Short mmCIF file of all heavy atoms in Angstrom, two decimals:
data_model
loop_
_atom_site.label_atom_id
_atom_site.label_comp_id
_atom_site.label_asym_id
_atom_site.label_seq_id
_atom_site.Cartn_x
_atom_site.Cartn_y
_atom_site.Cartn_z
N HIS A 26 -13.59 -164.41 -31.85
CA HIS A 26 -13.88 -163.42 -32.97
C HIS A 26 -15.09 -162.59 -32.68
O HIS A 26 -15.19 -161.49 -33.20
CB HIS A 26 -14.03 -164.20 -34.30
CG HIS A 26 -15.40 -164.65 -34.57
ND1 HIS A 26 -15.92 -165.81 -34.07
CD2 HIS A 26 -16.44 -164.07 -35.29
CE1 HIS A 26 -17.21 -165.95 -34.42
NE2 HIS A 26 -17.50 -164.89 -35.18
N SER A 27 -16.07 -163.02 -31.95
CA SER A 27 -17.37 -162.31 -31.75
C SER A 27 -17.24 -161.27 -30.61
O SER A 27 -18.23 -160.54 -30.43
CB SER A 27 -18.51 -163.24 -31.53
OG SER A 27 -18.27 -163.95 -30.39
N PHE A 28 -16.15 -161.21 -29.93
CA PHE A 28 -16.05 -160.25 -28.85
C PHE A 28 -15.91 -158.77 -29.40
O PHE A 28 -14.99 -158.53 -30.20
CB PHE A 28 -14.81 -160.56 -27.93
CG PHE A 28 -14.66 -159.54 -26.86
CD1 PHE A 28 -15.45 -159.51 -25.75
CD2 PHE A 28 -13.56 -158.69 -26.84
CE1 PHE A 28 -15.26 -158.59 -24.76
CE2 PHE A 28 -13.40 -157.72 -25.82
CZ PHE A 28 -14.23 -157.71 -24.81
N THR A 29 -16.75 -157.91 -28.99
CA THR A 29 -16.71 -156.53 -29.43
C THR A 29 -16.72 -155.58 -28.32
O THR A 29 -17.33 -155.92 -27.21
CB THR A 29 -17.89 -156.19 -30.37
OG1 THR A 29 -19.12 -156.43 -29.61
CG2 THR A 29 -17.93 -157.01 -31.63
N ILE A 30 -16.19 -154.44 -28.42
CA ILE A 30 -16.32 -153.34 -27.52
C ILE A 30 -16.92 -152.25 -28.30
O ILE A 30 -16.30 -151.62 -29.15
CB ILE A 30 -14.95 -152.89 -26.94
CG1 ILE A 30 -14.32 -154.07 -26.11
CG2 ILE A 30 -15.07 -151.65 -26.01
CD1 ILE A 30 -12.98 -153.69 -25.48
N GLY A 31 -18.22 -152.02 -28.02
CA GLY A 31 -18.95 -151.06 -28.79
C GLY A 31 -19.06 -151.59 -30.26
O GLY A 31 -19.41 -152.78 -30.51
N PRO A 32 -18.72 -150.82 -31.19
CA PRO A 32 -18.79 -151.26 -32.59
C PRO A 32 -17.44 -151.88 -33.13
O PRO A 32 -17.41 -152.33 -34.25
CB PRO A 32 -19.02 -149.96 -33.36
CG PRO A 32 -18.40 -148.94 -32.59
CD PRO A 32 -18.59 -149.32 -31.16
N VAL A 33 -16.44 -151.94 -32.23
CA VAL A 33 -15.16 -152.44 -32.64
C VAL A 33 -15.03 -153.95 -32.34
O VAL A 33 -15.12 -154.39 -31.21
CB VAL A 33 -13.99 -151.66 -31.87
CG1 VAL A 33 -12.58 -152.18 -32.28
CG2 VAL A 33 -14.12 -150.15 -32.07
N PRO A 34 -14.77 -154.74 -33.43
CA PRO A 34 -14.65 -156.20 -33.23
C PRO A 34 -13.23 -156.53 -32.76
O PRO A 34 -12.37 -157.00 -33.46
CB PRO A 34 -14.86 -156.77 -34.66
CG PRO A 34 -14.46 -155.67 -35.53
CD PRO A 34 -14.74 -154.40 -34.83
N VAL A 35 -13.05 -156.40 -31.46
CA VAL A 35 -11.68 -156.55 -30.84
C VAL A 35 -11.28 -157.99 -31.01
O VAL A 35 -10.06 -158.29 -31.31
CB VAL A 35 -11.75 -156.10 -29.35
CG1 VAL A 35 -10.39 -156.38 -28.71
CG2 VAL A 35 -12.07 -154.72 -29.19
N GLY A 36 -12.13 -158.97 -30.74
CA GLY A 36 -11.79 -160.37 -30.87
C GLY A 36 -11.31 -160.75 -32.29
O GLY A 36 -10.40 -161.54 -32.40
N MET A 37 -12.00 -160.18 -33.26
CA MET A 37 -11.58 -160.47 -34.64
C MET A 37 -10.24 -159.92 -34.97
O MET A 37 -9.42 -160.53 -35.61
CB MET A 37 -12.58 -160.04 -35.65
CG MET A 37 -12.32 -160.44 -37.07
SD MET A 37 -13.50 -159.73 -38.31
CE MET A 37 -15.07 -160.28 -37.64
N ILE A 38 -9.99 -158.69 -34.51
CA ILE A 38 -8.75 -158.01 -34.79
C ILE A 38 -7.56 -158.81 -34.12
O ILE A 38 -6.61 -159.12 -34.80
CB ILE A 38 -8.75 -156.52 -34.31
CG1 ILE A 38 -9.76 -155.74 -35.21
CG2 ILE A 38 -7.39 -155.92 -34.33
CD1 ILE A 38 -10.05 -154.39 -34.62
N LEU A 39 -7.75 -159.06 -32.82
CA LEU A 39 -6.64 -159.76 -32.09
C LEU A 39 -6.45 -161.27 -32.64
O LEU A 39 -5.40 -161.72 -32.73
CB LEU A 39 -6.99 -159.85 -30.62
CG LEU A 39 -6.89 -158.48 -29.84
CD1 LEU A 39 -7.27 -158.58 -28.44
CD2 LEU A 39 -5.52 -157.87 -30.08
N GLY A 40 -7.62 -161.92 -32.92
CA GLY A 40 -7.46 -163.25 -33.54
C GLY A 40 -6.83 -163.26 -34.86
O GLY A 40 -6.01 -164.17 -35.12
N GLY A 41 -7.08 -162.29 -35.70
CA GLY A 41 -6.43 -162.17 -36.99
C GLY A 41 -4.97 -161.85 -36.83
O GLY A 41 -4.15 -162.49 -37.58
N ILE A 42 -4.64 -161.05 -35.94
CA ILE A 42 -3.16 -160.73 -35.67
C ILE A 42 -2.46 -161.98 -35.23
O ILE A 42 -1.34 -162.21 -35.60
CB ILE A 42 -3.09 -159.53 -34.70
CG1 ILE A 42 -3.53 -158.23 -35.39
CG2 ILE A 42 -1.58 -159.42 -34.17
CD1 ILE A 42 -3.58 -157.05 -34.38
N ALA A 43 -3.06 -162.71 -34.28
CA ALA A 43 -2.47 -163.94 -33.72
C ALA A 43 -2.27 -164.99 -34.76
O ALA A 43 -1.14 -165.61 -34.88
CB ALA A 43 -3.31 -164.46 -32.58
N CYS A 44 -3.32 -165.19 -35.59
CA CYS A 44 -3.15 -166.18 -36.65
C CYS A 44 -2.12 -165.80 -37.69
O CYS A 44 -1.34 -166.60 -38.17
CB CYS A 44 -4.55 -166.38 -37.32
SG CYS A 44 -5.73 -167.32 -36.24
N ALA A 45 -2.13 -164.52 -38.11
CA ALA A 45 -1.17 -164.08 -39.08
C ALA A 45 0.25 -164.16 -38.45
O ALA A 45 1.20 -164.56 -39.18
CB ALA A 45 -1.40 -162.60 -39.41
N ALA A 46 0.40 -163.86 -37.21
CA ALA A 46 1.71 -163.93 -36.53
C ALA A 46 2.24 -165.34 -36.57
O ALA A 46 3.45 -165.59 -36.81
CB ALA A 46 1.68 -163.37 -35.16
N LEU A 47 1.36 -166.32 -36.28
CA LEU A 47 1.81 -167.73 -36.26
C LEU A 47 2.21 -168.17 -37.71
O LEU A 47 3.28 -168.73 -37.86
CB LEU A 47 0.64 -168.63 -35.82
CG LEU A 47 0.94 -170.10 -35.93
CD1 LEU A 47 1.99 -170.61 -34.94
CD2 LEU A 47 -0.36 -170.91 -35.80
N LEU A 48 1.45 -167.80 -38.69
CA LEU A 48 1.74 -168.20 -40.04
C LEU A 48 3.03 -167.50 -40.54
O LEU A 48 3.91 -168.18 -41.17
CB LEU A 48 0.56 -167.85 -40.94
CG LEU A 48 -0.62 -168.72 -40.68
CD1 LEU A 48 -1.79 -168.21 -41.64
CD2 LEU A 48 -0.46 -170.22 -40.99
N VAL A 49 3.21 -166.23 -40.27
CA VAL A 49 4.41 -165.51 -40.68
C VAL A 49 5.67 -166.11 -40.02
O VAL A 49 6.66 -166.32 -40.55
CB VAL A 49 4.32 -164.00 -40.45
CG1 VAL A 49 5.62 -163.35 -40.60
CG2 VAL A 49 3.30 -163.47 -41.42
N ALA A 50 5.48 -166.42 -38.69
CA ALA A 50 6.65 -166.99 -37.93
C ALA A 50 7.02 -168.33 -38.49
O ALA A 50 8.23 -168.71 -38.60
CB ALA A 50 6.29 -167.10 -36.42
N LEU A 51 5.99 -169.21 -38.75
CA LEU A 51 6.34 -170.54 -39.34
C LEU A 51 7.00 -170.38 -40.73
O LEU A 51 7.95 -171.03 -41.02
CB LEU A 51 5.01 -171.31 -39.52
CG LEU A 51 4.57 -172.01 -38.25
CD1 LEU A 51 3.19 -172.61 -38.50
CD2 LEU A 51 5.54 -173.15 -37.81
N ARG A 52 6.51 -169.49 -41.51
CA ARG A 52 7.09 -169.27 -42.79
C ARG A 52 8.56 -168.73 -42.72
O ARG A 52 9.45 -169.17 -43.51
CB ARG A 52 6.22 -168.29 -43.59
CG ARG A 52 6.70 -167.93 -45.00
CD ARG A 52 6.19 -168.87 -45.99
NE ARG A 52 6.84 -168.69 -47.25
CZ ARG A 52 6.35 -168.07 -48.27
NH1 ARG A 52 5.12 -167.54 -48.19
NH2 ARG A 52 7.03 -167.89 -49.37
N ALA A 53 8.77 -167.82 -41.79
CA ALA A 53 10.13 -167.25 -41.62
C ALA A 53 11.07 -168.16 -41.00
O ALA A 53 12.26 -168.28 -41.40
CB ALA A 53 10.03 -165.98 -40.81
N LEU A 54 10.66 -168.89 -39.99
CA LEU A 54 11.56 -169.79 -39.23
C LEU A 54 11.87 -171.10 -40.02
O LEU A 54 13.01 -171.55 -39.92
CB LEU A 54 10.99 -170.15 -37.87
CG LEU A 54 10.91 -168.95 -36.87
CD1 LEU A 54 10.17 -169.35 -35.68
CD2 LEU A 54 12.30 -168.42 -36.61
N THR A 55 10.94 -171.60 -40.72
CA THR A 55 11.20 -172.87 -41.48
C THR A 55 11.66 -172.58 -42.86
O THR A 55 12.31 -173.48 -43.47
CB THR A 55 9.91 -173.73 -41.52
OG1 THR A 55 8.91 -173.08 -42.26
CG2 THR A 55 9.46 -174.12 -40.14
N GLY A 56 11.37 -171.42 -43.43
CA GLY A 56 11.70 -171.17 -44.76
C GLY A 56 10.97 -172.04 -45.76
O GLY A 56 11.32 -172.25 -46.90
N ASP A 57 9.80 -172.52 -45.31
CA ASP A 57 9.05 -173.52 -46.09
C ASP A 57 7.57 -173.08 -46.09
O ASP A 57 6.93 -172.93 -45.08
CB ASP A 57 9.14 -174.84 -45.35
CG ASP A 57 8.43 -175.97 -46.11
OD1 ASP A 57 8.11 -175.83 -47.32
OD2 ASP A 57 8.20 -177.06 -45.52
N ARG A 58 7.10 -172.77 -47.28
CA ARG A 58 5.66 -172.36 -47.37
C ARG A 58 4.75 -173.52 -47.05
O ARG A 58 3.59 -173.26 -46.71
CB ARG A 58 5.37 -171.72 -48.70
CG ARG A 58 5.18 -172.54 -49.80
CD ARG A 58 4.79 -171.86 -51.14
NE ARG A 58 5.91 -170.99 -51.51
CZ ARG A 58 5.73 -169.72 -51.90
NH1 ARG A 58 4.49 -169.19 -51.94
NH2 ARG A 58 6.75 -168.97 -52.21
#
Side-chain angles (χ1 to χ4, degrees):
H26 88 278
S27 61
F28 177 71
T29 59
I30 296 179
V33 180
V35 176
M37 186 182 306
I38 293 168
L39 292 177
I42 290 171
C44 288
L47 173 71
L48 293 174
V49 168
L51 279 171
R52 177 89 191 259
L54 292 173
T55 62
D57 183 18
R58 79 178 62 230

